Amino acid sequence: MGAPDFAKLPHIGEALQRKEDYRFLTGAGNYTDDIHLANQAHAVFVRSPHAHAAITAIDTSKAAAMPGVVRVFTGKDVEGKMGGLPCGWLITSTDGQPMKEPPHPILAQGKVRYVGDHVAMVVAETLEQAKNAAEAVEVSYDVLPAVTKVSDAAKATALHEAAPDNHCYKWAIGDKGQVDAAFANAAHVTKLDLTNNRLVPNAMEPRAAIGSYNRASDEYLLYVSNQNPHVERLLMTAFVLGLPEHKVRVIAPDVGGGFGSKIYLYAEDVCLTWAAKQLNRNIKWNCERSEAFLSDAHGRDHVSHAEMAMDKDGKFLAMRVHTDANLGAYLSTFSTAVPTILYATLLAGQYTCPQIYVEVDAWFTNTAPVDAYRGAGRPEATYLLERLVSRCGWDMGLGQDEIRKRNFITQWPYQTPVALQYDVGDYLGCMTKAEGLADVAGFAARRAASEARGLKRGIGYSSYIEACGIAPSNIAGALGARAGLFECGEVRVHPTGSVTVFTGSHSHGQGHETTFAQVVAARLGIPVENVDVVHGDTGRVPFGMGTYGSRSISVGGAAIMKALDKIETKAKKIAAHLMEASDADIEFANGEFTVKGTDKKIPFGQVALTAYVPHNYPLDKLEPGLNETAFYDPTNFTFPAGTYICEVEVDPATGVVRVDRFSAVDDFGTIINPMIVEGQVHGGLVQGIGQALMENCVYDESTGQLLTGSFMDYAMPRADDFPQFKLDTVCTPCTHNPLGTKGCGEAGAIGSPPAVINAVLDALAPLGVKDFDMPASPARVWEAIQSAKA
């Protein structure tokens, strides 16, 4: 079944209430912390108070003697017994050498490299006893100089022997010679320096894990708040513990948000799993919020210089970019792919820029590891490009809309100069609808009204594009991926005609239990209530790569569709037998099988029952049962796109920025459930605007101490910081998956930051402020205004 036919089915495009919400709203959710196992002990981690130091001694004797303490583990207990935490993506430098890949031990061995680094794990009968004992572990440090900024990394004290200059890799894409030639002949060149500020993910549910071991079967069980349990198991067994994969089961129950920060294999997960066998105890660990600020993988943290060459009419000729990316103290699971494959390949955006050259230097610093955070490279690319495009317009005397319209791609498929090929889109349609939704025609009157009240009003545009469903596996493998990027779906039809779906995708707020059920119900012509969705358990789901990169419906949903194809094929054979017809003459629609040219028909439920009660059934030709599994590996990315328009008011006396209006038009292809899509966009917008206006992770430059280590110092957005969002969609279905879907989970966080900052700059332009970086907090805006006055 093709995407156009699929989009017309019942339940597709229907705003059904989420099936999972009842249990969450009534307190019946089952999160890792809700699970209590027999004989369960509790773990607390001793973390480094220094950003960079040699460990000269660890004395655990006092802690080990305290009431309730079961064991204290240090780096010496694991040294030589297991591998370090792996990086899942190998980047090759421009000189042909592989990236520097220093060891990442699960407990520090001889040295700590950031505040929060794991030094020891205390296991005790109760959480209070474990906390008390952790305070009694005595660690002696020889403090070393620390570095937190990428601009200082090359000359700083080395974090790792493997990287004496703290440089991990230099990576590039594009034809530098052709780009330089285009710049030499350009009528105008616009240049821009900008920083993409570091963020702390702050999911509602902090990380948690329970390690368990069964001596009788020699099997391990890990409950963990994680986005991709199969990947967690694969990395832990193959790279760290060296265990047979079938001896380890990973269960990710209900998960309270992830935003990328729960994709990775963390040291705590490995420690608990390994220690469960050592102690023959179940061991639980719950991350406290202060720990999360220190030890969760952070996001963003790029410093870039960008240039755009144009002809006299503002047509883009070439772009060149240099980015310094902060990787933190260690390589996290997918950290190396974020500032390269997921970033530079998106710098063409929606525009016909013939030549692009991008160079990325990645550095180790004494900060928490940096990895994918909602959007993962795509927000960084969009922020740079959309800031640069608006600056190009202002430099050329063109409006933010006009500079974009002059350079939009209008024909598809379109091959970009940075590897990707866009299959379909309607960028002008998105902008036209967004301008109507935003009432751009009335902006001048609103600006005048703001001016009369002593406020400065600005408007900002952002036309983003995203690449979702990282694929295909063979190309990703050639680019350094150390895992497949497919997805698995199993459809199990029961004798009564109800269905259970097993998916390798994981739901932690996306609503899979509803949208996947809508897909199956639409395809089989059965009620949505008759479809259950199972995920998050390696013991029940065949395999899967989890949820990230807005891939779930386009990759996981497509795998389910392929399994449904097999279900339909077999079901037609059973129906043909029951109606004494050729299976080639059987048609299936709206839950009924019919014989072409006749009035014969039977319902899906009868076929399902026959499959399991095979009386008068050709067992020599058909196996009993109706259960099929399929794997789907995409042939290309999907490419959601859209235009966002933001209006802000700035009080020049205080620097306070207020988002007054925000309009967003997205092209997500086929939409399964518009209510869920709207919720995803709302959430993304809040995170993106939060980054633009207030969120900012800051380390002390001399000591490496985290200065924004709590909600008292790290400003999080609240509901009253936002206007009522105006949303709409354009639909150009994806051409290469059977649903026509593209992905929607990250779009809001990708497109919104540059729209906000462009609006702030537009508002401040009359005051002489030409450039500004996130976050646009009151103090920073006020200082920019005063600097411009001076």
Side-chain angles (χ1 to χ4, degrees):
M1 175 177 288
D5 294 329
F6 172 78
K8 298 174 184 177
L9 292 177
H11 302 308
I12 303 306
E14 191 174 344
L16 296 181
Q17 288 191 347
R18 299 198 329 165
K19 297 175 68 174
E20 49 268 72
D21 281 349
Y22 179 81
R23 74 172 185 272
F24 294 140
L25 293 172
T26 57
N30 188 40
Y31 298 88
T32 301
D33 188 42
D34 295 319
I35 299 167
H36 303 283
L37 303 180
N39 199 30
Q40 179 175 282
H42 295 264
V44 168
F45 286 86
V46 178
R47 299 183 183 275
S48 170
H50 303 291
H52 199 190
I55 299 174
T56 58
I58 302 178
D59 185 354
T60 63
S61 57
K62 290 181 182 178
M66 293 182 70
V69 173
V70 180
R71 180 83 177 269
V72 181
F73 295 96
T74 69
K76 288 185 177 180
D77 294 303
V78 299
E79 189 173 6
K81 297 177 181 178
M82 64 185 69
L85 299 180
C87 178
W89 204 293
L90 173 66
I91 295 298
T92 301
S93 289
T94 52
D95 62 3
Q97 296 299 308
M99 66 188 187
K100 308 289 175 44
E101 197 167 0
H104 187 178
I106 64 168
L107 292 173
Q109 294 173 13
K111 196 176 186 183
V112 291
R113 295 176 172 86
Y114 68 101
V115 174
D117 206 350
H118 312 76
V119 177
M121 179 177 72
V122 177
V123 181
E125 297 293 346
T126 70
L127 179 59
E128 183 178 3
Q129 289 170 335
K131 285 184 176 182
N132 290 338
E135 293 286 342
V137 175
E138 297 178 357
V139 187
S140 299
Y141 297 97
D142 183 4
V143 178
L144 301 170
V147 60
T148 62
K149 296 171 63 177
V150 290
S151 57
D152 300 329
K155 297 179 181 179
T157 301
L159 276 74
H160 305 277
E161 290 182 9
D165 56 357
N166 292 320
H167 191 239
C168 183
Y169 59 77
K170 178 184 283 290
W171 181 89
I173 190 171
D175 190 320
K176 187 176 186 300
Q178 291 195 30
V179 167
D180 289 346
F183 269 84
N185 295 313
H188 181 81
V189 173
T190 289
K191 300 180 180 181
L192 188 64
D193 291 294
L194 40 71
T195 298
N196 203 298
N197 45 320
R198 179 182 281 238
L199 302 175
V200 180
N202 283 316
M204 187 177 293
E205 177 210 22
R207 291 187 293 122
I210 305 172
S212 180
Y213 176 71
N214 186 321
R215 278 189 175 177
S217 60
D218 190 30
E219 292 178 337
Y220 299 79
L221 171 61
L222 175 67
Y223 291 95
V224 63
S225 182
N226 183 269
Q227 297 176 218
N228 45 0
H230 278 97
V231 175
E232 169 116 352
R233 181 179 70 168
L234 175 64
L235 295 173
M236 185 164 55
T237 56
F239 294 95
V240 187
L241 296 179
L243 297 170
E245 199 169 359
H246 71 286
K247 288 293 185 180
V248 179
R249 181 180 181 184
V250 176
I251 299 175
D254 287 328
V255 173
F259 314 122
S261 69
K262 294 177 182 175
I263 294 173
Y264 324 117
L265 177 64
Y266 284 97
E268 295 90 350
D269 308 344
V270 179
C271 285
L272 266 65
T273 305
W274 176 79
K277 180 176 181 178
Q278 306 304 306
L279 303 177
N280 196 30
R281 295 288 298 271
N282 302 315
I283 309 171
K284 174 184 276 191
W285 169 74
N286 278 317
C287 183
E288 296 188 346
R289 185 62 67 179
S290 57
E291 277 187 290
F293 271 96
L294 292 171
S295 62
D296 285 4
H298 293 171
R300 315 293 190 248
D301 206 343
H302 283 191
V303 176
S304 299
H305 175 77
E307 300 180 359
M308 184 74 81
M310 293 172 281
D311 68 11
K312 61 181 178 61
D313 298 317
K315 285 285 290 180
F316 300 155
L317 302 176
M319 180 171 64
R320 55 190 175 202
V321 175
H322 180 269
T323 292
D324 286 302
N326 195 338
L327 298 175
Y330 300 98
L331 297 182
S332 182
T333 306
F334 294 113
S335 59
T336 52
V338 174
T340 53
I341 308 300
L342 300 179
Y343 164 69
T345 57
L346 270 296
L347 283 171
Q350 299 186 11
Y351 310 110
T352 55
C353 186
Q355 297 293 335
I356 299 174
Y357 179 72
V358 186
E359 232 177 43
V360 178
D361 284 290
W363 304 90
F364 294 110
T365 65
N366 296 110
T367 61
V370 178
D371 210 318
Y373 171 68
R374 198 170 190 169
R378 284 71 57 90
E380 294 91 322
T382 299
Y383 181 69
L384 181 148
L385 180 61
E386 291 305 294
R387 283 285 312 280
L388 181 62
V389 169
S390 285
R391 174 57 60 199
C392 287
W394 293 326
D395 284 357
M396 298 293 288
L398 299 172
Q400 294 180 71
D401 56 345
E402 182 60 28
I403 188 69
R404 287 170 169 82
K405 291 174 182 177
R406 290 189 184 191
N407 289 282
F408 273 156
I409 297 163
T410 56
Q411 293 183 323
W412 290 267
Y414 179 81
Q415 178 63 53
T416 75
V418 280
L420 299 183
Q421 185 180 82
Y422 306 157
D423 61 330
V424 69
D426 184 5
Y427 307 150
L428 183 58
C430 285
M431 175 172 281
T432 300
K433 186 172 279 192
E435 290 189 306
L437 198 65
D439 183 26
V440 172
F443 172 71
R446 293 191 294 275
R447 171 172 265 179
S450 297
E451 193 74 31
R453 292 183 285 113
L455 304 176
K456 298 297 181 183
R457 179 176 286 265
I459 190 168
Y461 280 66
S462 171
S463 295
Y464 79 93
I465 191 166
E466 182 185 2
C468 300
I470 307 170
S473 291
N474 58 346
I475 293 178
L479 294 173
R482 288 167 166 166
L485 296 167
F486 53 83
E487 197 49 83
C488 176
E490 178 187 351
V491 177
R492 187 178 300 173
V493 179
H494 302 292
T496 56
S498 61
V499 175
T500 302
V501 176
F502 299 84
T503 175
S505 300
H506 186 275
S507 181
H508 40 278
Q510 293 87 351
H512 294 172
E513 294 174 37
T514 303
T515 51
F516 285 6
Q518 286 180 250
V519 169
V520 174
R523 184 72 187 275
L524 298 182
I526 61 176
V528 174
E529 308 82 62
N530 287 8
V531 183
D532 283 338
V533 177
V534 175
H535 61 89
D537 185 346
T538 64
R540 299 185 67 188
V541 177
F543 199 84
M545 301 309 295
T547 293
Y548 50 86
S550 302
R551 72 191 298 270
S552 294
I553 193 65
S554 298
V555 186
I560 292 168
M561 283 288 282
K562 289 191 69 176
L564 288 167
D565 288 342
K566 296 180 180 181
I567 291 287
E568 181 176 326
T569 298
K570 183 173 181 180
K572 282 181 174 179
K573 293 178 180 179
I574 298 172
H577 169 72
L578 291 174
M579 292 188 286
E580 299 180 336
S582 167
D583 53 353
D585 293 330
I586 301 298
E587 295 180 334
F588 179 60
N590 301 317
E592 289 185 332
F593 296 89
T594 57
V595 180
K596 292 179 186 176
T598 75
D599 60 357
K600 289 184 177 181
K601 62 182 180 180
I602 55 174
F604 177 77
Q606 184 178 344
V607 170
L609 182 62
T610 302
Y612 289 94
V613 187
H615 300 162
N616 189 28
Y617 189 88
L619 291 171
D620 57 326
K621 298 179 181 178
L622 283 173
E623 294 179 356
L626 200 51
N627 182 12
E628 298 288 352
T629 300
F631 287 77
Y632 175 73
D633 199 328
T635 57
N636 193 4
F637 289 88
T638 64
F639 297 100
T643 288
Y644 292 176
I645 300 176
C646 174
E647 281 187 38
V648 301
E649 277 189 328
V650 182
D651 184 343
T654 64
V656 171
V657 177
R658 183 178 70 88
V659 177
D660 184 55
R661 301 164 71 94
F662 201 103
S663 303
V665 174
D666 299 282
D667 179 0
F668 297 135
T670 304
I671 290 177
I672 308 298
N673 187 313
M675 181 191 70
I676 289 177
V677 168
E678 185 174 313
Q680 288 290 308
V681 175
H682 278 192
L685 291 177
V686 166
Q687 283 183 281
I689 297 171
Q691 177 182 11
L693 292 183
M694 56 194 73
E695 293 187 52
N696 194 26
C697 178
V698 180
Y699 284 90
D700 183 273
E701 292 182 22
S702 60
T703 65
Q705 293 294 326
L706 181 63
L707 301 180
T708 52
S710 75
F711 290 137
M712 294 293 289
D713 308 297
Y714 185 92
M716 292 284 283
R718 294 169 171 80
D720 61 359
D721 291 317
F722 305 99
Q724 186 71 33
F725 298 131
K726 293 184 177 181
L727 309 182
D728 207 340
T729 58
V730 166
C731 180
T732 60
C734 174
T735 61
H736 55 79
N737 76 51
L739 297 90
T741 53
K742 296 183 179 181
C744 69
E746 297 163 301
I750 292 170
S752 55
V756 173
I757 298 300
N758 285 336
V760 171
L761 289 171
D762 186 55
L764 298 180
L767 301 178
V769 177
K770 187 174 181 181
D771 204 7
F772 194 85
D773 259 324
M774 301 183 287
S777 61
R780 288 163 58 90
V781 172
W782 186 86
E783 288 173 1
I785 294 171
Q786 304 316 307
S787 295
K789 285 181 179 178

